[in-house]
Amino acid sequence: MIVTLSTPVQYLKGVGPQRAALLEERGIASVADLLAYLPFRYEDRIRFTPIAEIVPGQFHTVLAEVGTGGGSTVRFARGRAPVFHVTVRDKSGSLHARFFHGAYLEGRLKQGQRLVLYGRAEVDPYRPGRLEMVNPEIELMSGEAPSDSTEVGRIVPVYEAIGPMRSRMLRRIIYAALSNFDGQLPDPLPEEIRKSFRFPTRREALMYAHFPPKQESLALLNSFRSPAQVRLIFEEFFYYQLALAMRRKREQRAPGIALRVREPMIRDALKRILPFKPTEAQKRVLAEIAADLEKPHPMHRLLEGDVGSGKTIVAFEAATIVIENGYQVALMAPTEILAVQHFLSARHVFDRARYQVDLLVSGQKRAEREAILARISLGQTQILVGTHALIEQKVNFERLGLVIIDEQHRFGVLERKRLIEKGASPHVLVMTATPIPRTLALTLYGDLDLSVIDQMPPGRTPVVTRWALDTELAGVWEFLRREVARGRQAFVLYPVIEESRQELKAATAEYERLAKSVFPQMRVGLLHGRLKNDEKDAVMEQFRRGQLQVLVATTVVEVGLDVPNATVMVIEHADRFGLAQLHQLRGRIGRGSEKSYCILVAPKAIQGEARERIETMVETSDGFKIAERDLKQRGPGEFFGTRQHGDAAFSFAQPLRDHELLELARREAFRLAENPGRAEEVVAQLEAASPTWQKRYQLASVG
Ligand code: ADP
Ligand code: MG
């Protein structure tokens, strides 16, 4: 049977309807999809390690057979999962292997069965001097001789299992597909790029990535840097970046509003609103923004900086330039609390400039709302702050010149677009408090120019962070009492509002307990998301004014509340919070000149990622470092709470692992986009070659 790219997997040798259904669940419907399912590891099965030459602590691939004399057994220990034991041997010696939950192996590993084991060899703790492998990966060999060339005598690809389909089965299916392939495999990567990087053709790259030639370096393969893999990674990035680059070219050609920037009047206005000396980073970023605003094309810029780095004031400076030019500014925030916070600081900052600042959120009184909508459409509102309410149909600006979007990743791409469309090509400034590593910013916001505030305002003392055990709470409360006695304020945070079935302490119940019996002599307040808006505002205002000394709260304080006198933050069940969230929360303290303390309360027994999160928090307060760790733990999709971007666009490439290739691909893609005619040609070739790529391309071109 002749196989082509569009052959459904079901018709392949070794795949029937059942397996086809399993593959389809993974998005593998055609041979084209199957070929894109690349190995995650390779094994050298040309030279197996003789058992006698195994080095403890290192990974080895061993070809052996199940030994004689009661070679394998399952042992059941009381109350534990059964453990399967087997001794294998080759000409040089014998090796013991243990498999937890290994009962399924019983009967399959008969005496004399040939098998390949891959794993780390260790000295058996129960029998020093004997080597063993614990839970090695194994593959049973068929027949006497190595008849099947997919199994031994070559560098063998290892695939991630798909349900019950193990690596060996997938390897056979892919091998069969490739052996019967008819050779039509278009290569849409521009010839000039392929030549200049000496990339293999797409066909060669796919063949080699699945079944590398014998002389290929195992180390290169396993670090995803063989020529075949490099090409495949490059091309995934390249097409995505090309889509971004072309979109950006269109935007750059679009007519926009050229603003006056270098006039004394504007310099004066900027001086009037600034209550302090800007940091060097703030100055640099403002200059970048101002240069954009001067151009007759819309700005599309991402402003990135850690919590408290002073992004807001820079955004207000940009707003000042726009307003002095006679245009309106819209600032959209993801939550009402944050919108109100921005509104209050905008009113404060712009008070001396006498700008008309308005707030638009849901749930305002009707008359008030009508009045605000009227001011907006008459052009009287100079800066409008609000939530999603801003993108409602009734909101009509007279002359919208700048859109500022805070906390970008919480908004969908389409929401961003809808606000922008309320103006005639307004300038756009997107702010994010999640410090995204540069490589990832390129992937996710590749169509935006990037400005980074990488410096904190002066006069901050770094927050001291400690891990306290839940058994040490009494001491924690004592510490909090002492700080409050010195005139400071404190947050006490919980992950949930009301008592649930889980044994988490809930904010409401703890608030009552803390207020009554732990801090009876202090003024304690409660803040959580289910309070009515005016109740929330009242509580925050009391805390801001120092009328409350302790604020018991849920994560609603994550954004916005700016109280320099708050120097203590106790987070209970800290192991339940994500890393980025802990960092955002901690950003609420350390905002004044007094030393601040963040105490993470978590049980001694926490393990794994939860423990790593707490340890990371104790170790560093560098938002970029924390974001990078968080990203590694969770992957970009979950990190941003959305899968509409980046992550989903790549099946093989990984932005963090492959960042040099990402940057290379980006450079090449943006260079190609300089020549729109040629770029369109490449996209047309790409679309003809692969319908699934087209989907990805569209994904990149939506927002
Ligand atoms: P971000 O929005 O990046 O989290 P903000 O703009 O809210 O940070 O700034 C945090 C705090 O630091 C605010 O109280 C702000 O007034 C103050 N601040 C910002 N820039 C400076 C500066 N250059 N010098 C002193 N204080 C500053
Ligand atoms: Mg902020």
Side-chain angles (χ1 to χ4, degrees):
M1 167 193 177
I2 291 173
V3 171
T4 69
L5 281 182
S6 56
T7 306
V9 283
Q10 184 175 339
Y11 302 132
L12 291 175
K13 194 174 146 212
V15 186
Q18 239 173 352
R19 285 179 186 164
L22 281 169
L23 290 171
E24 203 146 340
E25 263 173 53
R26 269 293 177 97
I28 302 173
S30 66
V31 166
D33 303 329
L34 187 66
L35 294 186
Y37 194 74
L38 293 168
F40 73 95
R41 183 167 76 69
Y42 298 83
E43 272 180 30
D44 181 353
R45 295 195 189 165
I46 304 166
R47 288 163 299 266
F48 294 99
T49 310
I51 289 175
E53 288 172 27
I54 286 178
V55 180
Q58 291 187 4
F59 282 88
H60 294 283
T61 307
V62 170
L63 176 64
E65 65 181 47
V66 176
T68 48
S72 60
T73 48
V74 182
R75 284 184 219 145
F76 296 88
R78 187 188 293 273
R80 298 253 184 99
V83 180
F84 184 81
H85 294 257
V86 67
T87 302
V88 301
R89 53 149 212 236
D90 65 7
K91 282 194 202 103
S92 72
S94 67
L95 173 70
H96 180 244
R98 258 192 302 161
F99 299 85
F100 292 97
H101 302 279
Y104 70 98
L105 288 169
E106 199 171 18
R108 290 181 67 203
L109 292 190
K110 297 208 180 70
Q111 189 179 320
Q113 167 71 53
R114 282 157 41 84
L115 75 169
V116 173
L117 297 93
Y118 171 81
R120 202 208 320 253
E122 299 288 1
V123 176
D124 187 338
Y126 300 107
R127 288 212 221 160
R130 185 173 81 162
L131 280 179
E132 69 163 2
M133 282 186 180
V134 178
N135 288 340
E137 287 175 33
I138 57 166
E139 199 172 300
L140 307 189
M141 296 288 108
S142 47
E144 295 282 294
S147 56
D148 190 335
S149 63
T150 63
E151 291 187 358
V152 290
R154 61 158 61 244
I155 293 175
V156 170
V158 182
Y159 299 91
E160 199 184 308
I162 296 180
M165 302 175 73
R166 312 286 296 249
S167 175
R168 178 183 179 217
M169 186 185 293
L170 289 163
R171 187 189 309 138
R172 288 184 164 194
I173 294 167
I174 293 169
Y175 190 79
L178 280 172
S179 328
N180 296 318
F181 198 77
D182 86 330
Q184 285 296 323
L185 215 160
D187 192 346
L189 192 65
E191 179 94 1
E192 60 271 25
I193 289 181
R194 199 170 62 72
K195 291 240 166 85
S196 80
F197 293 105
R198 302 217 174 93
F199 286 146
T201 63
R202 183 162 168 77
R203 184 189 163 85
E204 285 165 341
L206 283 172
M207 297 270 179
Y208 284 9
H210 286 289
F211 292 97
K214 272 188 188 171
Q215 65 277 12
E216 191 60 275
S217 145
L218 194 70
L220 272 188
L221 283 166
N222 279 328
S223 54
F224 297 89
R225 286 298 172 272
S226 72
Q229 291 161 310
V230 165
R231 181 213 142 118
L232 295 170
I233 292 169
F234 177 92
E235 76 178 5
E236 280 200 314
F237 287 142
F238 178 75
Y239 296 125
Y240 192 82
Q241 292 297 326
L242 183 60
L244 294 176
M246 289 170 72
R247 182 163 100 219
R248 214 172 50 164
K249 265 255 108 58
R250 279 196 298 277
E251 281 165 353
Q252 281 172 349
R253 281 195 304 268
I257 310 160
L259 299 175
R260 290 165 295 125
V261 171
R262 299 159 203 276
E263 281 172 26
M265 193 184 83
I266 292 185
R267 218 165 291 144
D268 285 348
L270 287 174
K271 250 186 238 142
R272 222 176 308 140
I273 66 157
L274 260 197
F276 38 61
K277 229 173 118 248
T279 62
E280 285 308 311
Q282 285 171 318
K283 276 195 228 163
R284 170 171 44 77
V285 167
L286 181 66
E288 288 164 2
I289 293 172
D292 284 357
L293 296 178
E294 265 185 321
K295 289 187 193 136
H297 307 288
M299 165 172 80
H300 290 269
R301 189 167 281 280
L302 176 68
L303 172 53
E304 200 188 299
D306 210 344
V307 222
S309 62
K311 294 181 294 294
T312 311
I313 195 73
V314 172
F316 286 167
E317 289 181 300
T320 303
I321 296 174
V322 174
I323 293 168
E324 288 297 319
N325 276 267
Y327 286 88
Q328 294 169 289
V329 175
L331 195 176
M332 181 159 75
T335 64
E336 194 161 323
I337 289 186
L338 190 56
V340 170
Q341 176 78 20
H342 277 319
F343 170 68
L344 293 174
S345 30
R347 224 174 37 184
H348 180 73
V349 166
F350 293 130
D351 185 42
R352 271 188 289 170
R354 294 175 194 269
Y355 294 158
Q356 175 68 41
V357 183
D358 278 313
L359 174 71
L360 192 68
V361 290
S362 57
Q364 279 166 316
K365 287 203 195 72
R366 185 155 173 181
E368 188 188 358
R369 190 180 169 76
E370 295 297 321
I372 294 167
L373 288 174
R375 282 202 294 274
I376 298 169
S377 59
L378 290 171
Q380 292 165 352
T381 299
Q382 289 168 295
I383 171 161
L384 176 66
V385 184
T387 54
H388 286 88
L390 298 198
I391 60 181
E392 278 164 28
Q393 219 165 14
K394 285 195 178 149
V395 182
N396 290 303
F397 291 89
E398 210 237 347
R399 275 157 74 82
L400 181 60
L402 171 66
V403 166
I404 304 169
I405 300 176
D406 196 8
E407 300 279 313
Q408 151 73 9
H409 66 270
R410 300 195 190 193
F411 288 108
V413 174
L414 293 175
E415 287 164 323
R416 176 174 19 144
K417 215 172 151 194
R418 259 161 66 199
L419 183 55
I420 292 167
E421 280 168 358
K422 289 195 179 285
S425 304
H427 297 287
V428 179
L429 183 66
V430 171
M431 298 197 283
T432 175
T434 309
I436 310 164
R438 193 184 156 74
T439 43
L440 198 70
L442 290 183
T443 328
L444 297 171
Y445 305 106
D447 58 327
L448 303 177
D449 292 303
L450 183 61
S451 286
V452 182
I453 302 186
D454 49 7
Q455 183 184 19
M456 284 293 187
R460 310 241 167 147
T461 34
V463 177
V464 176
T465 302
R466 293 270 180 275
W467 173 5
L469 302 182
D470 45 358
T471 50
E472 296 168 341
L473 259 185
V476 172
W477 299 145
E478 189 45 47
F479 174 75
L480 190 152
R481 237 178 250 125
R482 273 206 307 274
E483 284 297 298
V484 171
R486 293 175 54 232
R488 307 279 90 79
Q489 289 164 278
F491 294 101
V492 182
L493 305 185
Y494 294 90
V496 289
I497 301 173
E498 273 153 45
E499 212 109 35
S500 57
R501 255 173 291 144
Q502 302 163 345
E503 284 176 40
L504 294 182
K505 294 181 191 170
T508 312
E510 283 306 298
Y511 159 72
E512 276 160 23
R513 202 178 63 81
L514 290 174
K516 233 183 254 145
S517 27
V518 183
F519 308 123
Q521 64 286 68
M522 296 181 198
R523 293 181 303 274
V524 183
L526 173 66
L527 182 68
H528 60 68
R530 285 205 214 138
L531 293 178
K532 293 212 189 70
N533 287 333
D534 44 351
E535 291 171 328
K536 262 188 241 169
D537 291 347
V539 173
M540 287 202 293
E541 197 48 36
Q542 284 173 343
F543 190 66
R544 210 175 278 131
R545 293 208 177 134
Q547 291 158 346
L548 291 173
Q549 294 160 309
V550 179
L551 187 61
V552 176
T554 59
T555 53
V556 291
V557 298
E558 187 181 333
V559 280
L561 204 56
D562 194 359
V563 182
N565 190 45
T567 60
V568 181
M569 174 173 284
V570 178
I571 305 181
E572 286 219 58
H573 298 289
D575 50 315
R576 299 298 180 113
F577 293 86
L579 198 43
Q581 198 173 30
L582 287 172
H583 179 65
Q584 296 286 327
L585 289 169
R586 183 170 58 182
R588 294 299 112 208
I589 57 171
R591 299 197 146 225
S593 49
E594 293 289 330
K595 197 160 183 179
S596 290
Y597 304 88
C598 176
I599 300 160
L600 305 170
V601 183
K604 193 172 188 171
I606 53 167
Q607 288 299 330
E609 293 189 348
R611 191 182 188 95
E612 257 175 59
R613 289 198 293 270
I614 306 256
E615 285 170 353
T616 301
M617 287 294 294
V618 170
E619 189 185 303
T620 181
S621 52
D622 179 335
F624 284 88
K625 236 184 237 166
I626 287 175
E628 199 128 357
R629 295 253 180 110
D630 199 27
L631 207 61
K632 280 197 182 123
Q633 275 202 1
R634 294 193 292 162
E638 241 182 288
F639 182 82
F640 291 100
T642 162
R643 289 204 164 263
Q644 43 183 337
H645 259 314
D647 196 30
F650 310 122
S651 52
F652 185 51
Q654 290 182 17
L656 282 181
R657 182 191 67 196
D658 305 323
H659 57 91
E660 353 74 78
L661 290 174
L662 171 57
E663 295 195 17
L664 187 68
R666 179 179 169 84
R667 259 206 315 278
E668 292 300 321
F670 275 71
R671 185 182 307 164
L672 178 60
E674 289 300 318
N675 179 351
R678 178 79 184 112
E680 294 291 349
E681 257 171 49
V682 170
V683 169
Q685 277 167 16
L686 177 64
E687 290 181 352
S690 164
T692 54
W693 276 348
Q694 190 181 8
K695 244 192 304 186
R696 289 184 202 154
Y697 167 75
Q698 280 171 349
L699 182 84
S701 53
V702 165

